[in-house]
Amino acid sequence: MAYRITLIPGDGIGPEVTEAARRVLDASGVKIEWEVVEAGEKVMGQYGTPLPDHVLESVKRNKVALKGPITTPVGTGFRSVNVALRQALNLYANVRPVKSYEGVPSRYTNVDLIIVRENTEDLYAGIEYMAGDDAAVGVKIITRKASERIVRYAFELARREKRRKVTAVHKANIQKLTDGLFLECARKVAQDYPDIEFEDMIVDAMSMKLVQSPENYDVLVMPNMYGDILSDLAAGLVGGLGLAPGANIGEDGAVFEPIHGSAPKRAGQNLANPTATILSGVMMLRYLGELEAADRVEKAVAKVIKEGKEVTYDLGGSTGTKEFADAVIREMERI
Ligand code: NAD
């Protein structure tokens, strides 16, 4: 039987990278019936909202979605569709693996870490207000429930993937109550996993250490905002945003998406690297239990990148989005 999966193409380069990923996933042999629904800037005029109800309903019904990036206006305008989707579906764990691929021009060759970011609260709860004309206040929410849940998720992931260490990242020296509570929860949950090494680190020191010696880290778990920032930093360590996949996981479903944005300047030109979206699809196949197909897609992507003859501009090549997907599909046929 085919899996029924929601596909949200998104804005900017989204339609191009999701189409490339869809073709690669279809060629993996796993039967998928895609339910394509549109969200983002382009549907604002039609529905008066970037996240129409039928999009949420589709993801709730199918429980699994592949999503392209969606533009969020800076400073003013509508709230992030991405944040709204994660909150509405309670997709509490944002999992962002960062891995070196051979052949990618980059300063490091031995990075293999997973960032686990709390996805529902912290400064992303969206509570901001003006205190008079000249001061703005943002509310940072950290709860025991969400903190324990995300740290437990990180340890379970570490166990499943045979990882050796979990590092909790925080700023509890300054944010004594909020990050202090997160750290207290992390220490408590860590006691249930004596087989996995545990340490904690202040986010500024973590940033330096990641740049200095990323190979020393394995699974990193942190509140929402630090996770957003450090996962882009980590993507930069291995060759950029075009390579970094992500998953938003909840108890009742999951949305897979690249960590990059809609890159409006590159939109519609067949230039964007679809690797991050294809690898998000690989995470989706693993989530569905289609391990063999997932391995085949990942190996084919790694081979095309290693050969370096048919790669996109960000990896030093001149191959288009569509043609990169063609090369991956050809390679899959050989494996
Ligand atoms: P961006 O990720 O779109 O772009 C940053 C840089 O990376 C640009 O130079 C871009 O050309 C490059 N880049 C990104 N993806 C690439 C790819 N696949 N191949 C090659 N190069 C790639 O970040 P931004 O410019 O800060 O954001 C643009 C819009 O995307 C904003 O509206 C932002 O809110 C939104 N955004 C959405 C998501 C999401 O949907 N999950 C995530 C991040 C940003």
Side-chain angles (χ1 to χ4, degrees):
M1 222 181 64
Y3 295 101
R4 199 168 170 78
I5 290 174
T6 300
L7 181 75
I8 306 172
D11 294 318
I13 59 172
E16 298 160 75
V17 292
T18 51
E19 176 58 19
R22 170 185 173 154
R23 288 177 48 232
V24 169
L25 295 173
D26 283 343
S28 77
V30 174
K31 295 224 169 341
I32 300 175
E33 228 177 83
W34 299 99
E35 188 173 304
V36 181
V37 285
E38 298 285 355
E41 247 182 352
K42 64 172 122 172
V43 302
M44 273 299 283
Q46 193 179 352
Y47 297 103
T49 164
L51 183 58
D53 285 346
H54 69 269
V55 174
L56 267 180
E57 289 311 317
S58 169
V59 184
K60 279 187 184 157
R61 196 170 49 244
N62 296 328
K63 298 194 184 312
V64 180
L66 181 66
K67 175 187 160 297
I70 289 177
T71 299
T72 310
V74 174
T76 56
F78 60 80
R79 246 190 101 202
S80 163
V81 172
N82 310 303
V83 174
L85 199 60
R86 291 165 194 161
Q87 286 174 350
L89 301 168
N90 201 15
L91 303 172
Y92 67 88
N94 189 192
V95 183
R96 297 180 156 184
V98 178
K99 191 167 145 183
S100 300
Y101 281 94
E102 237 182 293
V104 175
S106 143
R107 288 173 195 272
Y108 306 88
T109 53
N110 49 0
V111 181
D112 184 9
L113 48 88
I114 306 177
I115 293 186
V116 178
R117 162 191 179 200
E118 203 291 322
N119 223 4
T120 62
E121 53 182 30
D122 192 3
L123 287 160
Y124 290 62
I127 305 170
E128 287 189 304
Y129 56 89
M130 294 302 295
D133 286 340
D134 301 317
V137 180
V139 179
K140 170 164 166 136
I141 299 178
I142 300 283
T143 65
R144 195 179 297 282
K145 183 176 170 214
S147 302
E148 288 189 1
R149 183 174 61 177
I150 196 66
V151 177
R152 197 166 292 286
Y153 185 92
F155 273 100
E156 289 293 328
L157 177 76
R159 227 178 226 173
R160 231 177 16 252
E161 302 218 347
K162 303 195 176 16
R163 301 280 180 151
R164 67 193 157 82
K165 181 166 81 171
V166 171
T167 307
V169 182
H170 59 87
K171 186 78 184 170
N173 51 333
I174 304 297
Q175 309 275 296
K176 290 185 194 294
L177 293 183
T178 48
D179 283 15
L181 178 60
F182 178 82
L183 179 58
E184 181 193 322
C185 293
R187 286 182 173 147
K188 178 170 162 248
V189 171
Q191 288 172 6
D192 294 340
Y193 299 86
D195 49 319
I196 295 165
E197 193 188 327
F198 172 72
E199 65 179 2
D200 72 89
M201 194 163 301
I202 292 173
V203 63
D204 35 352
M206 188 76 244
S207 309
M208 184 199 66
K209 298 252 186 189
L210 274 179
V211 171
Q212 233 172 16
S213 47
E215 69 282 1
N216 288 345
Y217 299 93
D218 204 347
V219 175
L220 309 176
V221 61
M222 60 200 82
N224 208 333
M225 172 79 111
Y226 308 142
D228 195 3
I229 297 169
L230 287 193
S231 50
D232 269 37
L233 181 150
L237 300 175
V238 298
L241 288 171
L243 295 169
N248 302 284
I249 313 263
E251 264 146 32
D252 248 346
V255 175
F256 297 84
E257 61 177 341
I259 80 170
H260 64 69
S262 54
K265 274 196 214 140
R266 312 278 181 196
Q269 299 164 62
N270 193 36
L271 281 175
N273 186 350
T275 301
T277 313
I278 296 172
L279 293 177
S280 302
V282 167
M283 293 177 82
M284 185 182 88
L285 291 179
R286 294 207 169 108
Y287 177 85
L288 295 171
E290 298 288 348
L291 306 182
E292 219 177 281
D295 286 350
R296 197 144 32 88
V297 176
E298 191 178 7
K299 273 191 196 136
V301 169
K303 185 83 186 298
V304 173
I305 290 176
K306 185 178 171 187
E307 280 180 355
K309 287 191 296 229
E310 289 175 284
V311 292
T312 45
Y313 81 93
D314 54 318
L315 301 184
S318 57
T319 297
T321 311
K322 189 172 165 301
E323 291 72 23
F324 178 86
D326 293 339
V328 172
I329 292 169
R330 272 199 308 276
E331 194 53 50
M332 275 161 62
E333 283 160 6
R334 270 185 226 130
I335 293 174

